[in-house]
Amino acid sequence: MEFVRTSTAQREGDAPTRDRVARTILENGPSTAADLALRLDLTPAAVRRHLDHLVEEGVVEARDQKVYGTRGRGRPAKVFALTEAGRDSFDQQYDDLAVQAMRFLAETQGEDAVVEFARRRVAFVERDYAAVMAADPDLTPAEALARVFTQNGYAASVRELPVVGEQLCQQHCPVSHVAHEFPQLCEAETEAIASVLGTHVQRLATIAHGDGVCTTCIPQTPQTTKTSEKEKA
């Protein structure tokens, strides 16, 4: 009996650290135990213990890490991503109400009304992008977009891609549950990004459809090239 009480107390004492682990995965996307240990300044063993608890609680799940290019020897490291239940604990208490409202809009006003709502919801992209670029002209277009999306409830970052440009990564989407049923929300985001950049962009993955991160390929633009040349000078 003593052991059970000690174990329960230890679990409760570890809760804040487990929350930090889950929050870090939310903000940075699917991560290995080694990545999490570095970000949180914890030992790999401690991180694995917290991950075991989070997996047991259904907050995170282990996935095979995608390997790009030549694969080395051995099995790829496991990455840990938030489950749907895990995302529910982060700022999504009103999803059911939002879905019901969207259904009502679709049933009473039709598809065009849903599309118009989706476009109006992402009007912040065009509204804020120019201001961010004006305030910090050394940003690449993708970096400016990451800042815009982060300021509006997304945890966004940029990943450089060889040759083709950059990748806008949104580790958190405040409307992912609603977008699962109404993909017009994702389509409006992609449309808004293409509009402010004046070029075609490709959405590669979305949280709404089960991916760990929303990713959009941002091709190289004259502005991107100019920034890169400035950094080399």
Side-chain angles (χ1 to χ4, degrees), residues 184-207:
Q184 297 93 331
L185 296 171
C186 297
E187 293 163 5
E189 283 182 17
T190 307
E191 184 181 278
I193 292 170
S195 177
V196 297
L197 297 181
T199 186
H200 172 74
V201 299
Q202 184 176 4
R203 180 63 64 93
L204 304 176
T206 63
I207 294 171

Side-chain angles (χ1 to χ4, degrees), residues 6 12 17 33 46 51 56 58 76 85 114 126 133 152 155 157 165 192 219 230:
T6 303
E12 292 174 351
T17 304
L51 287 170
E56 181 182 337
V114 174
E126 185 170 358
M133 288 299 296
N152 286 274
S157 61
K230 188 184 298 183

